[in-house]
Amino acid sequence: MERTFVMVKPDGVQRNLVGEVIRRFEAKGFTLVGLKMMKVSRELAEQHYDVHRERPFFGSLVEFICSAPVVAMVWEGDGVVASARKLIGATNPLTSEPGTIRGDFGVSIGRNLIHGSDAIETAQREISLWFAPEELVSWEPANKSWLYE
Ligand code: RTP
Ligand code: MG
């Protein structure tokens, strides 16, 4: 089944939004298969945001991700990659729709609380970058037959 990588960024942790993020993904019907709190190394942050290496905000973005703990997660479910991006909302929280995580809790593009993989291939790359295989738990939620026909 499809999986995606989600990270509560340092600002989301400091704003006490870890529980709110997990609650929204659980309530939606996705299954948590990996979860850890960690301080991010510069090397990992640079690899994670490698696609933005030439952008003017790359340095400050990497600096920020390394500045305080994050919570890294892997969520599973049909269509979870695109759906997670919808739950998270547009990159700039000022234009993210209300009802999304960024739209409900953020005001600044550089403090947009949470990351979600932007495509299935990106999700696969990010999951293997952030988690060792043995850190992921495959399990079947008891309510699965009430979530899927
Ligand atoms: P993310 O990768 O963090 O989930 O965010 P995203 O896909 O919505 O946005 P992306 O274009 O991948 O940008 C990565 C992160 O860089 C910061 N950013 N700052 N100052 C700026 O113009 C600017 N643009 C992007 C944001 O924190 C964004 O989440
Ligand atoms: Mg992105």
Side-chain angles (χ1 to χ4, degrees), residues 67-84:
S67 66
V70 306
V71 173
M73 299 179 256
V74 178
W75 288 91
E76 183 177 89
D78 276 0
V80 68
V81 174
S83 180

Side-chain angles (χ1 to χ4, degrees), residues 42-139:
R42 169 169 290 272
E43 189 190 3
L44 176 57
E46 287 182 351
Q47 279 183 280
H48 174 76
Y49 280 122
D50 191 56
V51 66
H52 297 309
R53 204 171 275 274
E54 305 307 324
R55 309 280 286 277
F57 57 80
F58 180 75
S60 59
L61 178 59
V62 165
E63 204 63 26
F64 174 61
I65 293 299
C66 300
S67 66
V70 306
V71 173
M73 299 179 256
V74 178
W75 288 91
E76 183 177 89
D78 276 0
V80 68
V81 174
S83 180
R85 295 280 291 185
K86 280 192 169 252
L87 291 174
I88 289 168
T91 306
N92 184 347
L94 284 181
T95 54
S96 315
E97 292 294 330
T100 66
I101 294 165
R102 288 169 173 168
D104 285 350
F105 301 113
V107 287
S108 162
I109 192 167
R111 297 289 182 272
N112 62 5
L113 303 165
I114 179 168
H115 162 83
S117 307
D118 62 12
I120 289 176
E121 307 73 54
T122 320
Q124 288 163 351
R125 183 184 94 82
E126 291 175 353
I127 290 168
S128 56
L129 185 63
W130 286 80
F131 284 87
E134 63 270 19
E135 291 179 308
L136 300 176
V137 181
S138 295
W139 63 288

Side-chain angles (χ1 to χ4, degrees), residues 7-56:
M7 173 195 22
V8 182
K9 296 180 182 181
D11 51 332
V13 174
Q14 300 297 326
R15 297 269 314 278
N16 300 315
L17 291 170
V18 173
E20 176 70 20
V21 167
I22 292 174
R23 190 194 66 74
R24 289 183 180 214
F25 277 80
E26 279 189 329
K28 173 72 175 167
F30 294 128
T31 303
L32 186 60
V33 297
L35 176 70
K36 61 182 169 183
M37 182 168 214
M38 56 193 285
K39 277 290 290 287
V40 183
S41 68
R42 169 169 290 272
E43 189 190 3
L44 176 57
E46 287 182 351
Q47 279 183 280
H48 174 76
Y49 280 122
D50 191 56
V51 66
H52 297 309
R53 204 171 275 274
E54 305 307 324
R55 309 280 286 277

